[in-house]
Structures are given as C-alpha cells and as structure tokens.
Amino acid sequence: MISIKNSRELTAMRDACRISAEALQYAGEIAKAGMTTGEIDDLIRRYIEKQGAKPSFLGYGGFPGSACLSINETVIHGIPGKRVLKDGDILSVDVGAFYNGYHGDNAYTFPIGNVSDEAMRLLSATRESLEKAIEQAVAGNRVGDIGAAVSAYVEERGYSVVRQFVGHGVGTNLHEDPSVPNFGTAGRGPRLLPGMTIAIEPMVNQGVSEVEILPDGWTTVTKDRKLSAHFEHTVAITTDGPVILTLP
Ligand code: MG
C-alpha cells in the first residue's frame, strides 16, 4: 500500500530528512584516507544521536552499522569495520535518521583524496542521473518515468544500472511501497500522487549491471569488481512539483 502524507505529516518528515542530510554531509567532511569504515560509522552514529534522532539502519534486518559504507566495487550495504580508506577510493555513504516517527534516507558517493578521472566521471553521471530522475517525480507521472530517466542517462554514457536493488517509498517505515527501480518503461508503473514520499537512489556500475552478495549476507559488490556509485534523495511529490526533503 502506498501511503499519502498530508501537509502536517510532510512537515514532521522534513526534520528526519534534514538530520539524515546533515549526517551525510558530516560523513563527507570526516571521511579521509587512513580511517577505517568502523571509525566513520561510529562518528556518524554519535552525530545522529546528538540531534536526538536514531540511525534508521542500525539493527534494521540485523544490520550492524549506523550507515552503509561501501568502497569502490561495493555497490551498497557495506558493513562498517576494519577496512581502511585509501587515497583514490570512492566511498558510498548511505544513511538514514529516524526522528519524530519518520525516516529520512539519502546517499552520496564521496571521492577520497585524488581519484581517477574515470571514477570522477562515474560519480558525476550517477549524481546527474538522480537529478534527471527527480525531474520526473511529478504528480501524474508514473514510477516508470523515473527509472527510464536514470537508465537512459547512464547507459548513454556507457554505464549500467543495478537491477537487483531498487529505490522505495519511505515514511513511518524505512522501506514502503512503491518500489522505485532505476530502470523501467516511461508511462508504466504506479502513478505518482501528491503526498507520496519516495527514496530515489540510482546505483550505477562502471561495468556489468550484475551484482553479488558476499557471504556476510550484506556486502553487495559488482560481479566484475569494477566501480559502482550510489546517490539518493528522499523526495516528496507535491502539487508544486518534486521537493527534495533530504537537504541540510
Ligand atoms: Mg534507500
């Protein structure tokens, strides 16, 4: 069931989304070569808790971290731990905050130090594909318009979109209906209505679109071990067009 939020509910949700966005921004400021993902996760958790919120991901389905920290070939769901960030890595941070009954959810892939031109091109294309997707998050459009915009944009540039994992509705639950794939057919799928809040999250691979889940049950890597990038915003569908809720 797709939940429709009234304006009071949307206002309440804005705070959770703002805290999520600020936690993500903070992660980008602190992440440096030489740090472990475990250290970064610890700082993110403390930051969220200091705002009076809870990390949405901590314990979700048994996930042991407060953020998903995914390096290079890791697409999503990287478990924070002993892996040390190196100069030239790309680090995807996916983080959500639960506050006053609502979740926010957002992600960004940060370059660590001096990153190759190819990696920077992948990051730019993925970030831009999220912008193209958000332009389609308009009342009256359909979910397929969002996915079609993402895949058209990145495939034109020689990249592929992950199909095994998709975006989602978000609100009182971290994952709600509808599913929001990064592929699809324009004009197909559930209709977008004012009051819907969705997490749009292109996961874009440098090589093949196939991914593998490592034996830890979480860490999702590209099958060819080439790079992957991930950008995400929580967006409200309104009568005045798309509103990005996950802004600092
Ligand atoms: Mg998400």
Side-chain angles (χ1 to χ4, degrees):
M1 198 196 75
I2 299 174
S3 78
I4 301 292
K5 284 99 185 162
N6 62 32
S7 61
R8 185 188 54 76
E9 292 167 321
L10 281 180
T11 304
M13 192 164 159
R14 270 177 186 275
D15 289 323
C17 288
R18 178 182 47 77
I19 295 167
S20 303
E22 288 167 357
L24 184 59
Q25 186 179 46
Y26 172 72
E29 286 163 9
I30 58 164
K32 297 277 183 310
M35 289 178 85
T36 67
T37 53
E39 288 166 341
I40 295 167
D41 187 65
D42 227 43
L43 290 166
I44 293 172
R45 178 179 51 76
R46 278 190 246 165
Y47 182 92
I48 291 171
E49 288 173 351
K50 214 164 63 186
Q51 320 302 316
K54 283 191 178 136
S56 297
F57 299 177
L58 186 60
Y60 185 87
F63 189 75
S66 293
C68 297
L69 299 174
S70 305
I71 299 173
N72 295 344
E73 75 286 352
T74 305
V75 181
I76 49 166
H77 299 169
I79 298 175
K82 293 193 168 70
R83 185 159 170 183
V84 179
L85 277 180
K86 296 192 311 290
D87 187 71
D89 281 345
I90 58 173
L91 173 68
S92 299
V93 179
D94 189 353
V95 65
F98 182 70
Y99 185 78
N100 273 345
Y102 290 92
H103 293 277
D105 191 5
N106 62 176
Y108 197 98
T109 303
F110 298 101
I112 303 298
N114 294 305
V115 166
S116 70
D117 291 346
E118 303 89 84
M120 285 311 290
R121 274 198 293 277
L122 173 68
L123 301 194
S124 301
T126 309
R127 200 182 55 237
E128 288 156 11
S129 77
L130 174 57
E131 290 166 12
K132 299 291 170 195
I134 292 171
E135 285 171 17
Q136 296 299 320
V138 170
N141 272 7
R142 291 180 182 270
V143 166
D145 293 302
I146 292 172
V150 172
S151 58
Y153 191 82
V154 302
E155 285 169 6
E156 249 167 50
R157 285 156 182 79
Y159 302 124
S160 61
V161 300
V162 171
R163 291 167 175 266
Q164 203 172 328
F165 294 92
V166 297
H168 51 92
V170 54
T172 53
N173 294 298
L174 182 59
H175 293 112
E176 299 183 351
D177 288 336
S179 288
V180 183
N182 297 302
F183 54 90
T185 308
R188 304 288 288 272
R191 196 176 288 284
L192 300 172
L193 299 171
M196 285 172 59
T197 47
I198 54 175
I200 305 177
E201 50 179 318
M203 293 156 240
V204 175
N205 294 350
Q206 200 177 32
V208 299
S209 72
E210 285 79 15
V211 298
E212 272 174 26
I213 300 173
L214 297 186
D216 63 29
W218 287 104
T219 311
T220 301
V221 299
T222 54
K223 193 153 197 189
D224 57 12
R225 302 301 191 266
K226 290 189 178 176
L227 298 176
S228 186
H230 182 206
F231 287 79
E232 176 181 30
H233 271 307
T234 298
V235 176
I237 315 298
T238 79
T239 49
D240 299 323
V243 175
I244 300 173
L245 298 178
T246 37
L247 292 176

